[in-house]
Amino acid sequence: MAVSTILYIILIGIIALVTAIFFYFYKPERSKKLRLILSSLRFITLFSVLLLLLNPEFKQVTYTTVKPNLALAVDNSNSIDYLGFSKDVNNTVQKLVTNEQLNKRFDIDQYIFGANIKPLDSINFTDEQTNISKALQTLNKIYKDQTYTPLLISDGNANLGGNYRYISTDIKNTAVNFLVVGDTTQYEDLRIIRTNVNKYAYLDNEFPVEIIAEYQGDNEINAQLSITKNGSVAFKENKQFSASQNTQRFNLFLKANAIGVQNYAVTIGAISNEKNTENNTKNFAVEVIDQRSKVLIVYSVLHPDLGTLKKSIESNQLRSVELKEVFNIKSEDINESDLVILFEPDTKFKSVYAELNKLNKNRFTIIGTVTNRTYTNSIQKSFSLPLNNQTEESQPLLNKSFTSFQLDDLDFSNYPPVKTQFGTSKIAGNSDVLFYQRVNGVSTKNPLLAVTETDGRREIILFGMGVFQWRIQSFLNNSNFEDFDNLIDKLVQYAASNQKRDRLLVDYERFYYGGNAIKLNARYFDQNYVFDPGAQLQIKLQNKNSEYTYEAPMVVKGNDYQSNLTNLEAGEYSFIISELSSGIKTSGAFTLIPFNLERQNLNADFAKMQVVTTETNGYINTLDNVDELVNQLINDDRFIPIQRAVEKSVPLVNFIYLLALIISSLTAEWFLRKYNGLI
């Protein structure tokens, strides 16, 4: 408290004292004892009121105990139940959260994890995938800048995400602890660990298959690998395994002799007394198609975008790309192509445009910095360009009302700008803009990427160049090119098709592998082909090999209706999606390939978990020794509760007791005066 404030309080006390004495001793009445009591009460009242008017501030210190966080994360995957430890895990969790010493030392937060991590509500061990690295990364984000230690109850077998051994070392100063679920003894085991095969194959062609098998044991064995299709053996080969040569690679070619989804089973012979034979067999599928769509890119100048477009389009094995300089183009090149991409058109493209117009063929035009704008405006009527030579840099701004075809969730907001022409471009026909231009952070209505339909043909226009940067950014964001490649694939699919536009569109895969998410997306448009978020879409699913049926409404998410199908048995399924009010329907079919990721291991991956705890200075133990791990955590000096002092200035007016004192003293003085006849 400041010295001046103390002086004011002393002055207030003197004033209150002098006033109280003067009031009761200037003209004495009644006894001296009564006057002393009344003057004291008057002094208390005056001093308190004047003190409230001065309203000095006092320092108030409060103490709180801050305990470190213990993030208890439980593996909710199917493997825990398969190994027979579900009851033990539930008992262990209950034992930990009710431990008095542990609660005195830590604030315990409970989570469950499988493919994702979430707060613990109930443990049912139904997750079909395990992503330990994501669980650790998410916990690190939750407890950023806080003292915490994760305790994972798991078998350590991750089948999704990165290697959690390396993820854990990125979490600096965080001790990762494990309670190991399962048998830590390593048994002799022979298994198929991977099958590499293309998603598509072409009729009457051979397609490559790569299979990797692994042996765990100390003996020398001879094992036969066979591949069957509909009960018939398509391939078989014997190979030797040993402790020193525990991995063998099988490379082979299979003949695609029937159109559609072809299912194969690859099996490696079990060894004697092998405990886990479920990982000796894996199923895979290939969709056999009759032809491959051809995309022709015609260019007049070389640019990195050309290679980017070729790689992106060919990421879909259903498409092939041919790059040709405009001087080398022949009419049959255009005629044999399903889609022609015109890169930086100028006067040299005259014969190309003539052939395209003659065939009324769909096209994809990319406008760049060297495009002859005057000539381009004159040779076609789908769009018009500003007639100047100035350029600017524009970022993509997603048009959420885009409805020409279905899109996955796109976020191009942080993507680098591309070179665009300065000025306003106009699009003719039945156009739909996917990306507008955002220039220097300012949103505009100038199109950057758009589609249009004129004279019975479809056309895509990209008013910029430099999209190779977008593909790079896609990799930086997601460690893969999928976002960008999927966008280009959708554009090519739209432009290469002449099908009539439907009001109900469905996006799905022809086959899925067991354990992976089965997601069907649908989009419904009203009569003006505007997305209708108020439609009533219903999906009816039927297993072709059994009586199983599933019927449920589809849920709106963004500009899509979604249905996530879980816990389906392997087999062939057909579905019908209906819009109840209009009666519009569409149908499809897919195959679910049997495979359970969570049943590939009978042992806990103790070795990897031990490495993680060693590198992060954490603790590891089995469920049987949970008390030992609890004692280690309790006695670790890194996890000591901290007493934190919080000092704050509190004005006197906030003290309710002072108001109570004023009321009490006034009341007492009034009653004494009344009793003694002074009122």
Side-chain angles (χ1 to χ4, degrees):
M1 189 181 294
V3 176
S4 59
T5 304
I6 296 174
L7 293 175
Y8 279 126
I9 292 174
I10 294 172
L11 180 60
I12 285 171
I14 293 171
I15 293 172
L17 181 63
V18 170
T19 304
I21 292 174
F22 176 80
F23 192 85
Y24 283 106
F25 284 89
Y26 176 66
K27 292 181 179 181
E29 295 183 24
R30 303 292 190 275
S31 66
K32 185 177 181 180
K33 181 179 179 181
L34 178 62
R35 281 182 284 142
L36 284 172
I37 294 172
L38 290 172
S39 61
S40 298
L41 291 172
R42 179 59 60 91
F43 168 76
I44 291 172
T45 301
L46 291 173
F47 181 73
S48 299
V49 171
L50 292 173
L51 202 59
L52 277 177
L53 293 174
L54 180 63
N55 195 26
E57 291 186 347
F58 296 89
K59 297 294 183 182
Q60 185 182 62
V61 180
T62 58
Y63 296 93
T64 58
T65 300
V66 179
K67 295 187 288 186
N69 295 290
L70 178 65
L72 179 61
V74 184
D75 190 339
N76 193 49
S77 62
N78 183 254
S79 62
I80 304 297
D81 187 52
Y82 178 64
L83 294 173
F85 286 91
S86 55
K87 186 176 180 180
D88 295 330
V89 169
N90 277 301
N91 291 339
T92 301
V93 172
Q94 188 64 25
K95 188 174 183 179
L96 288 170
V97 298
T98 57
N99 187 290
E100 290 185 9
Q101 289 182 302
L102 202 61
N103 278 280
K104 188 178 291 186
R105 176 61 67 96
F106 294 96
D107 283 328
I108 302 176
D109 298 324
Q110 302 174 59
Y111 303 89
I112 57 173
F113 67 91
N116 297 292
I117 186 170
K118 58 184 179 180
L120 190 151
D121 182 18
S122 62
I123 309 174
N124 50 26
F125 306 107
T126 56
D127 284 14
E128 296 181 350
Q129 292 176 319
T130 308
N131 192 341
I132 296 178
S133 62
K134 185 174 183 179
L136 291 171
Q137 287 175 315
T138 304
L139 290 174
N140 194 51
K141 291 178 182 177
I142 293 173
Y143 297 102
K144 186 179 180 181
D145 301 327
Q146 297 183 49
T147 302
Y148 90 102
T149 183
L151 172 56
L152 276 67
I153 302 178
S154 174
D155 58 10
N157 293 312
N159 45 50
L160 191 65
N163 189 327
Y164 63 90
R165 173 188 172 182
Y166 304 110
I167 293 294
S168 61
T169 56
D170 292 338
I171 303 175
K172 297 179 180 179
N173 304 319
T174 302
V176 180
N177 312 287
F178 282 99
L179 268 175
V180 183
V181 181
D183 195 344
T184 58
T185 305
Q186 298 296 314
Y187 296 101
E188 193 175 25
D189 187 37
L190 184 62
R191 63 175 180 168
I192 298 168
I193 60 174
R194 183 173 300 168
T195 58
N196 295 323
V197 62
N198 291 333
K199 191 173 183 180
Y200 302 99
Y202 302 99
L203 185 63
D204 297 327
N205 286 350
E206 290 187 333
F207 60 92
V209 180
E210 181 183 58
I211 299 166
I212 302 173
E214 182 183 65
Y215 169 67
Q216 181 180 291
D218 300 322
N219 300 316
E220 290 188 2
I221 64 168
N222 181 34
Q224 183 183 80
L225 181 134
S226 62
I227 299 177
T228 58
K229 175 187 175 186
N230 299 327
S232 300
V233 177
F235 171 85
K236 62 180 178 180
E237 183 179 354
N238 291 336
K239 284 203 175 183
Q240 296 283 338
F241 293 85
S242 64
S244 59
Q245 193 174 13
N246 63 345
T247 302
Q248 291 285 7
R249 192 183 302 267
F250 299 81
N251 292 291
L252 57 127
F253 288 86
L254 296 176
K255 185 71 176 290
N257 49 21
I259 295 175
V261 177
Q262 307 300 314
N263 298 307
Y264 295 86
V266 54
T267 303
I268 193 162
I271 55 181
S272 59
N273 301 320
E274 187 172 356
K275 286 184 171 293
N276 186 10
T277 57
E278 194 155 335
N279 57 17
N280 290 59
T281 300
K282 264 193 178 181
N283 296 278
F284 67 90
V286 174
E287 184 176 355
V288 179
I289 56 179
D290 196 10
Q291 61 180 349
R292 196 177 191 187
S293 61
K294 297 179 181 179
V295 178
L296 174 65
I297 301 180
V298 184
Y299 65 92
S300 59
V301 293
L302 293 174
H303 191 273
D305 281 357
L306 294 171
T308 296
L309 289 169
K310 179 176 172 63
K311 288 181 180 178
S312 183
I313 295 170
E314 289 186 341
S315 66
N316 185 335
Q317 299 163 28
L318 294 174
R319 314 192 195 286
S320 64
V321 175
E322 185 178 15
L323 285 162
K324 274 201 170 186
E325 195 170 3
V326 65
F327 297 111
N328 301 322
I329 292 296
K330 300 176 182 178
S331 59
E332 53 264 31
D333 295 330
I334 297 174
N335 192 33
E336 293 173 359
S337 300
D338 297 289
L339 175 65
V340 178
I341 299 179
L342 307 173
F343 188 83
E344 296 271 35
D346 56 19
T347 54
K348 296 185 286 292
F349 280 69
K350 183 177 180 180
S351 61
V352 176
Y353 271 109
E355 189 66 24
L356 285 171
N357 292 335
K358 175 183 173 183
L359 299 172
N360 200 33
K361 186 176 283 289
N362 295 350
R363 64 199 71 170
F364 185 163
T365 307
I366 299 176
I367 306 299
T369 55
V370 298
T371 299
N372 188 320
R373 303 181 189 179
T374 303
Y375 177 76
T376 303
N377 284 347
S378 66
I379 199 67
Q380 52 77 45
K381 302 300 179 184
S382 299
F383 58 90
S384 62
L385 303 173
L387 298 179
N388 60 67
N389 294 321
Q390 295 179 321
T391 61
E392 58 187 354
E393 294 190 337
S394 303
Q395 285 183 287
L397 176 65
L398 180 65
N399 175 20
K400 295 182 179 179
S401 300
F402 181 81
T403 59
S404 292
F405 52 82
Q406 281 186 276
L407 288 168
D408 298 326
D409 294 334
L410 288 176
D411 183 13
F412 281 67
S413 57
N414 67 334
Y415 274 43
V418 295
K419 286 280 187 184
T420 59
Q421 66 279 0
F422 177 79
T424 302
S425 301
K426 296 180 180 179
I427 307 172
N430 184 16
S431 63
D432 196 2
V433 178
L434 175 57
F435 290 139
Y436 289 108
Q437 296 182 26
R438 182 168 57 201
V439 183
N440 295 326
V442 179
S443 301
T444 72
K445 287 299 181 180
N446 202 17
L448 177 59
L449 178 60
V451 301
T452 185
E453 294 186 27
T454 56
D455 300 327
R457 71 168 183 267
R458 291 179 173 181
E459 187 166 353
I460 302 173
I461 311 104
L462 174 60
F463 297 94
M465 62 188 303
V467 293
F468 71 93
Q469 301 173 90
W470 291 0
R471 197 167 193 260
I472 294 171
Q473 188 65 46
S474 174
F475 186 85
L476 293 176
N477 289 351
N478 309 307
S479 299
N480 59 58
F481 301 108
E482 288 183 6
D483 278 358
F484 180 82
D485 289 350
N486 287 341
L487 171 63
I488 297 298
D489 184 59
K490 295 283 188 181
L491 291 170
V492 171
Q493 182 181 1
Y494 169 84
S497 172
N498 288 309
Q499 292 180 354
K500 181 183 177 182
R501 191 174 182 186
D502 295 322
R503 289 177 57 190
L504 180 57
L505 303 175
V506 182
D507 187 17
Y508 66 99
E509 300 289 340
R510 289 295 305 276
F511 62 86
Y512 300 89
Y513 285 100
N516 294 327
I518 302 174
K519 185 185 293 184
L520 276 68
N521 290 343
R523 184 173 284 195
Y524 179 76
F525 305 98
D526 61 20
Q527 293 181 352
N528 296 320
Y529 289 97
V530 176
F531 176 73
D532 184 359
Q536 301 178 54
L537 262 60
Q538 191 90 0
I539 181 171
K540 184 175 182 180
L541 185 72
Q542 172 80 48
N543 188 319
K544 295 181 181 179
N545 306 319
S546 70
E547 296 181 356
Y548 174 83
T549 58
Y550 169 81
E551 192 168 353
M554 300 185 74
V555 180
V556 178
K557 185 178 180 182
N559 282 346
D560 286 332
Y561 288 84
Q562 287 189 357
S563 179
N564 293 319
L565 306 174
T566 58
N567 301 322
L568 294 181
E569 294 182 355
E572 295 183 358
Y573 290 84
S574 62
F575 64 86
I576 297 174
I577 295 177
S578 310
E579 204 290 309
L580 300 182
S581 60
S582 66
I584 295 176
K585 298 180 180 180
T586 188
S587 61
F590 64 85
T591 302
L592 180 58
I593 311 301
F595 181 64
N596 193 323
L597 285 169
E598 295 296 325
R599 297 191 178 186
Q600 301 302 303
N601 298 283
L602 282 179
N603 306 95
D605 197 345
F606 186 85
K608 185 183 289 186
M609 290 186 283
Q610 192 171 40
V611 169
V612 171
T613 55
T614 301
E615 291 178 346
T616 61
N617 296 317
Y619 301 108
I620 184 171
N621 225 311
T622 60
L623 289 180
D624 296 335
N625 298 313
V626 60
D627 292 333
E628 182 179 336
L629 187 136
V630 169
N631 290 331
Q632 289 172 320
L633 291 172
I634 291 172
N635 296 319
D636 195 322
D637 293 338
R638 292 175 295 176
F639 311 124
I640 297 177
I642 300 171
Q643 192 175 59
R644 181 176 295 170
V646 179
E647 183 180 88
K648 58 182 179 180
S649 296
V650 182
L652 186 67
V653 72
N654 287 356
F655 287 89
I656 191 76
Y657 300 109
L658 188 60
L659 180 60
L661 179 64
I662 293 172
I663 294 172
S664 300
S665 62
L666 282 172
T667 303
E669 183 182 359
W670 186 87
F671 274 108
L672 284 173
R673 286 169 61 86
K674 184 71 173 178
Y675 181 78
N676 290 280
L678 296 176
I679 297 179

